[in-house]
Amino acid sequence: DTGVSQDPRHKITKRGQNVTFRCDPISEHNRLYWYRQTLGQGPEFLTYFQNEAQLEKSRLLSDRFSAERPKGSFSTLEIQRTEQGDSAMYLCASSSSSTNEKLFFGSGTQLSVL
Amino acid sequence: ILNVEQSPQSLHVQEGDSTNFTCSFPSSNFYALHWYRWETAKSPEALFVMTLNGDEKKKGRISATLNTKEGYSYLYIKGSQPEDSATYLCAPEQAGTALIFGKGTTLSVSS
């Protein structure tokens, strides 16, 4: 068990470009979460999956953001037509499917939009 | 949107001081309350998951209490050490929803 891994660790892109991040959860975990964190704020919920089903998506999330979890394993988060306001740390976490279970976080992907 | 309040926003103490933080959350549809520690350049790490009113959890010098009826939790650190410097996040868990985190309390411990 190598924990939750995220790729890439850092991404610098120009405004208007599309970016895609990958998250590999702990293998036996059914739930996978995406959060975004900006300076001085706690992690902001984006979306989460139970196996391959996307169960919840933040109402604050722009249509430029999309996430997938094919086959209930790894997940990808894509941001289309990036804006400077998208610059943030994107965190992935996983947990078992039971309630009251703690989340295990990856190291995050730091996105900088120039 | 779930309203989670943490106070204070930041705190600076001397090594050996004891300190505590507060997390306030809606008491309706409550399932659990999570506490996480986030050290600089690392990933957030779970400290406690608390479910019952009156619950108390302890991990070394860190402990937490929970009041689900009034919607608050306290995190205590006894005899703070420089390695306790981190941001402490709380997140209530409601039925069928993902964790919503507060903004955190950033603790700095000077030696």
Side-chain angles (χ1 to χ4, degrees):
Chain A
D1 180 0
T2 57
V4 179
S5 62
Q6 292 188 244
D7 185 68
R9 291 292 302 273
H10 304 274
K11 178 71 177 179
I12 299 174
T13 191
K14 291 183 178 179
R15 190 174 50 188
Q17 297 294 305
N18 298 343
V19 294
T20 300
F21 310 142
R22 176 178 170 127
C23 172
D24 288 88
I26 293 172
S27 57
E28 62 267 28
H29 283 177
N30 302 106
R31 289 189 175 179
L32 186 147
Y33 306 80
W34 285 100
Y35 288 88
R36 173 174 64 187
Q37 195 258 346
T38 54
L39 197 62
Q41 303 294 317
E44 175 195 0
F45 169 71
L46 297 179
T47 188
Y48 93 98
F49 293 83
Q50 170 98 7
N51 299 312
E52 65 274 13
Q54 188 173 20
L55 294 188
E56 189 176 354
K57 184 176 177 181
S58 171
R59 286 172 290 171
L60 302 177
L61 200 60
S62 163
D63 289 342
R64 297 182 296 104
F65 287 69
S66 63
E68 294 182 339
R69 193 183 181 197
K71 302 179 183 178
S73 55
F74 71 92
S75 175
T76 57
L77 178 69
E78 181 183 18
I79 308 174
Q80 296 182 326
R81 305 180 303 281
T82 52
E83 301 173 357
Q84 288 186 325
D86 297 331
S87 296
M89 171 73 79
Y90 289 82
L91 291 165
C92 175
S94 69
S95 72
S96 70
S97 57
S98 302
T99 54
N100 314 330
E101 290 294 323
K102 61 184 179 181
L103 271 57
F104 291 81
F105 282 86
S107 299
T109 294
Q110 182 67 53
L111 172 66
S112 296
V113 182
L114 305 179
Chain B
I1 297 176
L2 198 61
N3 188 29
V4 184
E5 299 284 341
Q6 289 192 247
S7 63
Q9 184 175 352
S10 62
L11 192 58
H12 185 101
V13 300
Q14 296 295 313
E15 183 176 357
D17 289 349
S18 294
T19 187
N20 65 84
F21 325 134
T22 304
C23 173
S24 301
F25 54 89
S27 55
S28 59
N29 300 318
F30 175 84
Y31 262 33
L33 192 283
H34 297 235
W35 280 102
Y36 289 79
R37 175 170 59 198
W38 195 356
E39 296 178 67
T40 303
K42 294 186 178 180
S43 309
E45 181 182 352
L47 287 172
F48 307 113
V49 180
M50 309 172 73
T51 57
L52 300 176
N53 185 45
D55 228 357
E56 290 189 33
K57 298 273 188 178
K58 188 174 181 180
K59 184 177 182 179
R61 295 177 289 98
I62 303 177
S63 60
T65 60
L66 178 66
N67 184 320
T68 61
K69 293 182 179 179
E70 296 182 38
Y72 65 84
S73 176
Y74 294 135
L75 188 78
Y76 301 91
I77 302 179
K78 184 178 179 182
S80 302
Q81 299 296 309
E83 57 265 32
D84 297 328
S85 297
T87 296
Y88 292 83
L89 299 162
C90 74
E93 183 178 354
Q94 290 190 320
T97 65
L99 295 187
I100 303 299
F101 286 86
K103 293 183 179 181
T105 293
T106 299
L107 173 67
S108 177
V109 183
S110 299
S111 56

